[in-house]
Amino acid sequence: VKGNGALVALIPAIDIALTWRWRLLRLPALWVAALLTMAVVAPWYWLSFKISAGGFNYAPGFEYAWLALATNAQAIWANLGAAGVALALVGAASAFRTVEPGEARIARLALAVILATLVFQSIVPAAIEPRYISPLLPWLVVLIGLAILPLVRAAAAPALALAALGLAALVPAALNLATLPPKPDLHATSLGGAIVQLGGAWMVDGRAGGEGAVIAAAAYADKGDRHVWVARASQWLSTSDFMGRGYRLTAADPAAARALLDRIGVRGVISLAERNRYAYPHSHILYRAVAPGGYALLRIPFNTGSGTAFRAIRAVPIPPNVAFIEQHTGSANVARMSGKSP
């Protein structure tokens, strides 16, 4: 369940207000459904809120609400453009005029979802990201369709012109997609396979997406055998909260990093440099720790996108220091790997 799933709770309230169906508030079924939903999702939100709130980048209030609303409006404009926004407004008007009953009902539901998304994102100060308006975009397209439908029914314009009108609303989104840089192909599958083939303990470094991709690839290639260990460089060489705030090095220089690699019993290192830049300050320290010798070094350009995967394999393998890993990591997976937990 994503945090913004809570915006669903606003949809019935907004729909009732838009339709003036206040009598629904007297129906026991409405409140029973609300209570049952709360019973299912409230425990999860209670457990996860502290974690989620740690990632809030703003404070709630009018200033944040206005910033979020303005930014989200710009994101809508970027996705639909002038033609799309104008058509969506025309479609929204069908919620309040005499049209086919089914069309008016769909228009009101679309408006409820759109308003619920905007209100929720303006109240909860998680972050301001264009992707957070994703729940409302399909419903804007529905409103665009409702704007064109009467013209189709009345044969008010040639079919080709109506199709062009609809396509005009999709052009901005298509152009945005066409100009997006491709996701880098950083050889995660082959790097993960190499980790499993050579075995032992490995340290993986990179931005969250790349680091996670290599670790996931290694876990998949391991096929449940549990004979490889993968440590995240960001957890062993630095410290911060999960949003990267309060970042500081715990291995201040290459000598300290190299000593830590020896203590862990690291067999090899993989570091991902997107756009050929070190991911973090500790990434540069990690490279300088293995570069002087004792490791076979290899740089592998990404298949797609700009960047390089740096791989260092220890010349003389050493076994993982499981006791040291258990003592200095907070991961519950260590106990499972060492057979101390089912």
Short mmCIF file of all heavy atoms in Angstrom, two decimals, residues 35-88:
data_model
loop_
_atom_site.label_atom_id
_atom_site.label_comp_id
_atom_site.label_asym_id
_atom_site.label_seq_id
_atom_site.Cartn_x
_atom_site.Cartn_y
_atom_site.Cartn_z
N LEU A 35 -15.26 2.02 8.36
CA LEU A 35 -14.64 1.38 9.52
C LEU A 35 -13.90 0.11 9.14
O LEU A 35 -12.80 -0.16 9.64
CB LEU A 35 -15.71 1.07 10.58
CG LEU A 35 -16.31 2.29 11.29
CD1 LEU A 35 -17.46 1.87 12.19
CD2 LEU A 35 -15.23 3.02 12.12
N LEU A 36 -14.49 -0.68 8.25
CA LEU A 36 -13.81 -1.90 7.80
C LEU A 36 -12.52 -1.57 7.06
O LEU A 36 -11.50 -2.25 7.23
CB LEU A 36 -14.75 -2.71 6.90
CG LEU A 36 -15.94 -3.39 7.61
CD1 LEU A 36 -16.86 -4.04 6.58
CD2 LEU A 36 -15.46 -4.40 8.62
N THR A 37 -12.57 -0.52 6.26
CA THR A 37 -11.36 -0.11 5.54
C THR A 37 -10.29 0.35 6.51
O THR A 37 -9.12 0.00 6.37
CB THR A 37 -11.70 1.02 4.55
OG1 THR A 37 -12.72 0.58 3.65
CG2 THR A 37 -10.46 1.43 3.76
N MET A 38 -10.69 1.13 7.49
CA MET A 38 -9.73 1.60 8.49
C MET A 38 -9.12 0.43 9.25
O MET A 38 -7.92 0.43 9.55
CB MET A 38 -10.43 2.55 9.47
CG MET A 38 -10.75 3.91 8.89
SD MET A 38 -9.24 4.88 8.62
CE MET A 38 -8.74 5.19 10.32
N ALA A 39 -9.94 -0.58 9.55
CA ALA A 39 -9.43 -1.73 10.29
C ALA A 39 -8.36 -2.47 9.51
O ALA A 39 -7.43 -3.04 10.09
CB ALA A 39 -10.59 -2.69 10.62
N VAL A 40 -8.47 -2.43 8.18
CA VAL A 40 -7.50 -3.13 7.34
C VAL A 40 -6.22 -2.32 7.15
O VAL A 40 -5.10 -2.82 7.29
CB VAL A 40 -8.12 -3.48 5.97
CG1 VAL A 40 -7.06 -4.06 5.03
CG2 VAL A 40 -9.26 -4.47 6.14
N VAL A 41 -6.36 -1.02 6.83
CA VAL A 41 -5.20 -0.23 6.44
C VAL A 41 -4.56 0.57 7.58
O VAL A 41 -3.38 0.89 7.52
CB VAL A 41 -5.55 0.74 5.28
CG1 VAL A 41 -6.09 -0.01 4.10
CG2 VAL A 41 -6.54 1.81 5.74
N ALA A 42 -5.34 0.88 8.62
CA ALA A 42 -4.80 1.72 9.70
C ALA A 42 -3.58 1.11 10.36
O ALA A 42 -2.60 1.84 10.64
CB ALA A 42 -5.88 2.02 10.73
N PRO A 43 -3.56 -0.20 10.66
CA PRO A 43 -2.35 -0.75 11.29
C PRO A 43 -1.10 -0.56 10.45
O PRO A 43 -0.03 -0.26 10.97
CB PRO A 43 -2.69 -2.24 11.46
CG PRO A 43 -4.18 -2.27 11.52
CD PRO A 43 -4.63 -1.20 10.59
N TRP A 44 -1.24 -0.73 9.13
CA TRP A 44 -0.07 -0.57 8.26
C TRP A 44 0.41 0.88 8.29
O TRP A 44 1.61 1.15 8.39
CB TRP A 44 -0.41 -0.98 6.83
CG TRP A 44 0.77 -0.88 5.92
CD1 TRP A 44 1.69 -1.84 5.64
CD2 TRP A 44 1.17 0.27 5.16
NE1 TRP A 44 2.63 -1.38 4.77
CE2 TRP A 44 2.35 -0.09 4.46
CE3 TRP A 44 0.67 1.56 5.01
CZ2 TRP A 44 3.01 0.80 3.62
CZ3 TRP A 44 1.34 2.45 4.17
CH2 TRP A 44 2.48 2.07 3.50
N TYR A 45 -0.53 1.81 8.21
CA TYR A 45 -0.14 3.22 8.25
C TYR A 45 0.49 3.58 9.60
O TYR A 45 1.43 4.36 9.67
CB TYR A 45 -1.34 4.12 7.97
CG TYR A 45 -1.64 4.28 6.50
CD1 TYR A 45 -2.72 3.66 5.91
CD2 TYR A 45 -0.82 5.05 5.69
CE1 TYR A 45 -2.99 3.79 4.55
CE2 TYR A 45 -1.07 5.21 4.34
CZ TYR A 45 -2.16 4.57 3.78
OH TYR A 45 -2.41 4.70 2.45
N TRP A 46 -0.04 3.01 10.66
CA TRP A 46 0.50 3.28 12.00
C TRP A 46 1.95 2.81 12.09
O TRP A 46 2.82 3.50 12.62
CB TRP A 46 -0.36 2.58 13.04
CG TRP A 46 0.16 2.73 14.44
CD1 TRP A 46 0.93 1.84 15.14
CD2 TRP A 46 -0.01 3.84 15.32
NE1 TRP A 46 1.24 2.32 16.39
CE2 TRP A 46 0.67 3.55 16.52
CE3 TRP A 46 -0.70 5.05 15.20
CZ2 TRP A 46 0.68 4.43 17.60
CZ3 TRP A 46 -0.68 5.93 16.27
CH2 TRP A 46 0.00 5.62 17.45
N LEU A 47 2.21 1.62 11.54
CA LEU A 47 3.56 1.06 11.62
C LEU A 47 4.54 1.79 10.71
O LEU A 47 5.72 1.93 11.01
CB LEU A 47 3.53 -0.43 11.26
CG LEU A 47 2.82 -1.35 12.26
CD1 LEU A 47 2.68 -2.75 11.68
CD2 LEU A 47 3.57 -1.39 13.59
N SER A 48 4.05 2.23 9.55
CA SER A 48 4.96 2.80 8.55
C SER A 48 5.06 4.31 8.59
O SER A 48 5.94 4.88 7.94
CB SER A 48 4.52 2.37 7.14
OG SER A 48 3.24 2.91 6.84
N PHE A 49 4.17 4.97 9.36
CA PHE A 49 4.17 6.43 9.30
C PHE A 49 5.49 7.03 9.77
O PHE A 49 5.98 7.99 9.19
CB PHE A 49 3.02 7.00 10.15
CG PHE A 49 2.99 8.51 10.15
CD1 PHE A 49 2.50 9.20 9.05
CD2 PHE A 49 3.48 9.24 11.23
CE1 PHE A 49 2.49 10.59 9.03
CE2 PHE A 49 3.47 10.62 11.22
CZ PHE A 49 2.97 11.29 10.12
N LYS A 50 6.06 6.47 10.83
CA LYS A 50 7.31 7.03 11.34
C LYS A 50 8.41 6.97 10.30
O LYS A 50 9.21 7.90 10.15
CB LYS A 50 7.73 6.29 12.61
CG LYS A 50 8.94 6.91 13.30
CD LYS A 50 9.24 6.21 14.62
CE LYS A 50 10.42 6.88 15.32
NZ LYS A 50 10.73 6.23 16.61
N ILE A 51 8.44 5.86 9.55
CA ILE A 51 9.44 5.72 8.49
C ILE A 51 9.15 6.73 7.38
O ILE A 51 10.04 7.43 6.91
CB ILE A 51 9.43 4.29 7.93
CG1 ILE A 51 9.77 3.29 9.03
CG2 ILE A 51 10.41 4.16 6.77
CD1 ILE A 51 9.61 1.85 8.61
N SER A 52 7.88 6.80 6.96
CA SER A 52 7.51 7.71 5.87
C SER A 52 7.74 9.16 6.26
O SER A 52 8.24 9.96 5.46
CB SER A 52 6.04 7.50 5.49
OG SER A 52 5.82 6.17 5.09
N ALA A 53 7.38 9.50 7.50
CA ALA A 53 7.52 10.89 7.93
C ALA A 53 8.98 11.33 7.95
O ALA A 53 9.29 12.51 7.79
CB ALA A 53 6.91 11.07 9.32
N GLY A 54 9.90 10.36 8.10
CA GLY A 54 11.32 10.70 8.07
C GLY A 54 11.75 11.24 6.71
O GLY A 54 12.77 11.92 6.60
N GLY A 55 10.96 10.92 5.68
CA GLY A 55 11.29 11.40 4.35
C GLY A 55 10.57 12.68 3.95
O GLY A 55 10.74 13.16 2.82
N PHE A 56 9.75 13.24 4.85
CA PHE A 56 9.05 14.48 4.53
C PHE A 56 10.07 15.61 4.40
O PHE A 56 10.88 15.85 5.29
CB PHE A 56 8.04 14.82 5.62
CG PHE A 56 6.80 13.95 5.60
CD1 PHE A 56 6.70 12.88 4.74
CD2 PHE A 56 5.76 14.21 6.47
CE1 PHE A 56 5.57 12.07 4.74
CE2 PHE A 56 4.62 13.41 6.47
CZ PHE A 56 4.53 12.34 5.60
N ASN A 57 10.02 16.30 3.28
CA ASN A 57 10.97 17.36 3.01
C ASN A 57 10.42 18.76 3.29
O ASN A 57 11.13 19.75 3.13
CB ASN A 57 11.43 17.29 1.54
CG ASN A 57 12.19 16.02 1.25
OD1 ASN A 57 13.02 15.59 2.03
ND2 ASN A 57 11.90 15.41 0.10
N TYR A 58 9.15 18.82 3.69
CA TYR A 58 8.51 20.12 3.93
C TYR A 58 7.71 20.04 5.22
O TYR A 58 7.46 18.96 5.77
CB TYR A 58 7.57 20.48 2.77
CG TYR A 58 8.26 20.62 1.44
CD1 TYR A 58 8.43 19.52 0.60
CD2 TYR A 58 8.76 21.85 1.00
CE1 TYR A 58 9.06 19.63 -0.63
CE2 TYR A 58 9.39 21.98 -0.22
CZ TYR A 58 9.53 20.87 -1.04
OH TYR A 58 10.16 20.98 -2.25
N ALA A 59 7.28 21.19 5.69
CA ALA A 59 6.39 21.27 6.84
C ALA A 59 4.98 21.56 6.33
O ALA A 59 4.81 22.31 5.37
CB ALA A 59 6.85 22.36 7.80
N PRO A 60 3.96 20.97 6.95
CA PRO A 60 2.59 21.24 6.50
C PRO A 60 2.22 22.69 6.75
O PRO A 60 2.73 23.34 7.66
CB PRO A 60 1.75 20.29 7.36
CG PRO A 60 2.58 20.03 8.58
CD PRO A 60 4.01 20.07 8.11
N GLY A 61 1.32 23.19 5.93
CA GLY A 61 0.88 24.57 6.10
C GLY A 61 0.50 25.19 4.77
O GLY A 61 0.61 24.56 3.70
N PHE A 62 0.05 26.43 4.84
CA PHE A 62 -0.43 27.12 3.63
C PHE A 62 0.68 27.28 2.61
O PHE A 62 0.45 27.13 1.40
CB PHE A 62 -1.00 28.48 4.01
CG PHE A 62 -1.49 29.27 2.82
CD1 PHE A 62 -2.71 28.98 2.22
CD2 PHE A 62 -0.71 30.28 2.27
CE1 PHE A 62 -3.14 29.68 1.11
CE2 PHE A 62 -1.14 31.00 1.17
CZ PHE A 62 -2.36 30.69 0.59
N GLU A 63 1.89 27.60 3.07
CA GLU A 63 2.99 27.81 2.13
C GLU A 63 3.27 26.55 1.31
O GLU A 63 3.43 26.61 0.09
CB GLU A 63 4.25 28.24 2.89
CG GLU A 63 5.43 28.58 1.98
CD GLU A 63 6.64 29.05 2.76
OE1 GLU A 63 6.53 29.21 4.00
OE2 GLU A 63 7.70 29.28 2.13
N TYR A 64 3.33 25.40 2.01
CA TYR A 64 3.56 24.15 1.28
C TYR A 64 2.38 23.82 0.36
O TYR A 64 2.56 23.39 -0.78
CB TYR A 64 3.77 22.98 2.25
CG TYR A 64 3.74 21.65 1.54
CD1 TYR A 64 4.83 21.22 0.79
CD2 TYR A 64 2.59 20.85 1.57
CE1 TYR A 64 4.79 20.02 0.10
CE2 TYR A 64 2.55 19.65 0.88
CZ TYR A 64 3.65 19.23 0.15
OH TYR A 64 3.61 18.06 -0.55
N ALA A 65 1.14 24.03 0.86
CA ALA A 65 -0.04 23.70 0.06
C ALA A 65 -0.05 24.49 -1.24
O ALA A 65 -0.33 23.93 -2.32
CB ALA A 65 -1.31 24.00 0.87
N TRP A 66 0.28 25.77 -1.16
CA TRP A 66 0.29 26.60 -2.37
C TRP A 66 1.40 26.16 -3.32
O TRP A 66 1.19 26.07 -4.54
CB TRP A 66 0.46 28.06 -2.00
CG TRP A 66 0.55 28.96 -3.19
CD1 TRP A 66 1.66 29.62 -3.65
CD2 TRP A 66 -0.50 29.29 -4.10
NE1 TRP A 66 1.37 30.33 -4.78
CE2 TRP A 66 0.04 30.15 -5.09
CE3 TRP A 66 -1.84 28.93 -4.18
CZ2 TRP A 66 -0.71 30.65 -6.14
CZ3 TRP A 66 -2.61 29.44 -5.22
CH2 TRP A 66 -2.05 30.29 -6.18
N LEU A 67 2.57 25.86 -2.77
CA LEU A 67 3.69 25.41 -3.61
C LEU A 67 3.34 24.09 -4.29
O LEU A 67 3.59 23.91 -5.50
CB LEU A 67 4.94 25.24 -2.76
CG LEU A 67 6.19 24.70 -3.46
CD1 LEU A 67 6.65 25.66 -4.57
CD2 LEU A 67 7.32 24.46 -2.46
N ALA A 68 2.76 23.16 -3.54
CA ALA A 68 2.40 21.86 -4.10
C ALA A 68 1.34 22.01 -5.18
O ALA A 68 1.43 21.39 -6.26
CB ALA A 68 1.90 20.93 -3.00
N LEU A 69 0.34 22.84 -4.92
CA LEU A 69 -0.74 23.03 -5.90
C LEU A 69 -0.20 23.66 -7.18
O LEU A 69 -0.54 23.22 -8.29
CB LEU A 69 -1.83 23.91 -5.29
CG LEU A 69 -3.09 24.09 -6.15
CD1 LEU A 69 -3.77 22.76 -6.39
CD2 LEU A 69 -4.06 25.07 -5.46
N ALA A 70 0.64 24.68 -7.05
CA ALA A 70 1.20 25.33 -8.24
C ALA A 70 2.09 24.39 -9.02
O ALA A 70 2.03 24.33 -10.26
CB ALA A 70 1.98 26.57 -7.80
N THR A 71 2.92 23.62 -8.32
CA THR A 71 3.83 22.70 -9.00
C THR A 71 3.06 21.58 -9.69
O THR A 71 3.39 21.19 -10.82
CB THR A 71 4.84 22.11 -8.00
OG1 THR A 71 5.51 23.17 -7.32
CG2 THR A 71 5.86 21.24 -8.71
N ASN A 72 2.03 21.06 -9.02
CA ASN A 72 1.24 19.98 -9.62
C ASN A 72 0.43 20.48 -10.81
O ASN A 72 0.22 19.74 -11.77
CB ASN A 72 0.32 19.36 -8.56
CG ASN A 72 1.10 18.56 -7.54
OD1 ASN A 72 2.17 18.03 -7.83
ND2 ASN A 72 0.57 18.46 -6.33
N ALA A 73 -0.02 21.74 -10.74
CA ALA A 73 -0.71 22.32 -11.89
C ALA A 73 0.23 22.42 -13.10
O ALA A 73 -0.16 22.15 -14.24
CB ALA A 73 -1.26 23.70 -11.53
N GLN A 74 1.48 22.78 -12.85
CA GLN A 74 2.47 22.83 -13.93
C GLN A 74 2.71 21.44 -14.51
O GLN A 74 2.89 21.27 -15.73
CB GLN A 74 3.77 23.42 -13.41
CG GLN A 74 3.70 24.89 -13.06
CD GLN A 74 4.97 25.39 -12.39
OE1 GLN A 74 5.96 24.69 -12.31
NE2 GLN A 74 4.92 26.62 -11.89
N ALA A 75 2.71 20.41 -13.64
CA ALA A 75 2.91 19.04 -14.12
C ALA A 75 1.74 18.61 -15.00
O ALA A 75 1.93 17.92 -16.01
CB ALA A 75 3.07 18.10 -12.94
N ILE A 76 0.53 19.00 -14.62
CA ILE A 76 -0.64 18.68 -15.44
C ILE A 76 -0.52 19.37 -16.80
O ILE A 76 -0.78 18.76 -17.85
CB ILE A 76 -1.93 19.11 -14.72
CG1 ILE A 76 -2.16 18.23 -13.49
CG2 ILE A 76 -3.12 19.04 -15.66
CD1 ILE A 76 -3.31 18.70 -12.60
N TRP A 77 -0.13 20.63 -16.78
CA TRP A 77 0.04 21.37 -18.03
C TRP A 77 1.10 20.71 -18.91
O TRP A 77 0.94 20.60 -20.13
CB TRP A 77 0.41 22.81 -17.73
CG TRP A 77 0.52 23.68 -18.95
CD1 TRP A 77 1.61 23.88 -19.74
CD2 TRP A 77 -0.53 24.46 -19.53
NE1 TRP A 77 1.34 24.74 -20.77
CE2 TRP A 77 0.01 25.12 -20.67
CE3 TRP A 77 -1.85 24.68 -19.21
CZ2 TRP A 77 -0.74 25.96 -21.47
CZ3 TRP A 77 -2.61 25.54 -20.00
CH2 TRP A 77 -2.05 26.16 -21.11
N ALA A 78 2.18 20.26 -18.31
CA ALA A 78 3.25 19.62 -19.07
C ALA A 78 2.78 18.32 -19.71
O ALA A 78 3.25 17.94 -20.79
CB ALA A 78 4.45 19.35 -18.16
N ASN A 79 1.83 17.64 -19.07
CA ASN A 79 1.34 16.37 -19.60
C ASN A 79 0.24 16.55 -20.64
O ASN A 79 0.14 15.73 -21.55
CB ASN A 79 0.80 15.50 -18.45
CG ASN A 79 1.89 14.73 -17.75
OD1 ASN A 79 2.30 13.67 -18.20
ND2 ASN A 79 2.39 15.28 -16.65
N LEU A 80 -0.58 17.60 -20.51
CA LEU A 80 -1.73 17.76 -21.40
C LEU A 80 -1.64 18.93 -22.36
O LEU A 80 -2.24 18.91 -23.43
CB LEU A 80 -3.01 17.90 -20.56
CG LEU A 80 -3.39 16.72 -19.65
CD1 LEU A 80 -4.69 17.01 -18.94
CD2 LEU A 80 -3.48 15.43 -20.45
N GLY A 81 -0.91 19.97 -21.97
CA GLY A 81 -0.83 21.14 -22.82
C GLY A 81 -2.14 21.93 -22.83
O GLY A 81 -3.11 21.58 -22.15
N ALA A 82 -2.16 22.99 -23.61
CA ALA A 82 -3.33 23.87 -23.65
C ALA A 82 -4.56 23.14 -24.15
O ALA A 82 -5.66 23.27 -23.59
CB ALA A 82 -3.04 25.09 -24.52
N ALA A 83 -4.40 22.35 -25.23
CA ALA A 83 -5.55 21.65 -25.80
C ALA A 83 -6.12 20.65 -24.80
O ALA A 83 -7.35 20.55 -24.62
CB ALA A 83 -5.14 20.94 -27.09
N GLY A 84 -5.26 19.89 -24.15
CA GLY A 84 -5.73 18.88 -23.21
C GLY A 84 -6.42 19.49 -22.01
O GLY A 84 -7.48 19.01 -21.57
N VAL A 85 -5.84 20.56 -21.45
CA VAL A 85 -6.44 21.21 -20.29
C VAL A 85 -7.80 21.80 -20.66
O VAL A 85 -8.78 21.68 -19.91
CB VAL A 85 -5.51 22.29 -19.72
CG1 VAL A 85 -6.22 23.14 -18.67
CG2 VAL A 85 -4.26 21.66 -19.13
N ALA A 86 -7.89 22.44 -21.83
CA ALA A 86 -9.15 23.04 -22.27
C ALA A 86 -10.22 21.96 -22.45
O ALA A 86 -11.37 22.13 -22.00
CB ALA A 86 -8.94 23.81 -23.57
N LEU A 87 -9.87 20.86 -23.07
CA LEU A 87 -10.83 19.77 -23.27
C LEU A 87 -11.25 19.16 -21.93
O LEU A 87 -12.42 18.82 -21.73
CB LEU A 87 -10.23 18.70 -24.17
CG LEU A 87 -10.12 19.05 -25.66
CD1 LEU A 87 -9.31 18.00 -26.40
CD2 LEU A 87 -11.52 19.17 -26.28
N ALA A 88 -10.31 19.02 -21.01
CA ALA A 88 -10.64 18.47 -19.70
C ALA A 88 -11.63 19.37 -18.96
O ALA A 88 -12.55 18.89 -18.28
CB ALA A 88 -9.37 18.27 -18.87
#
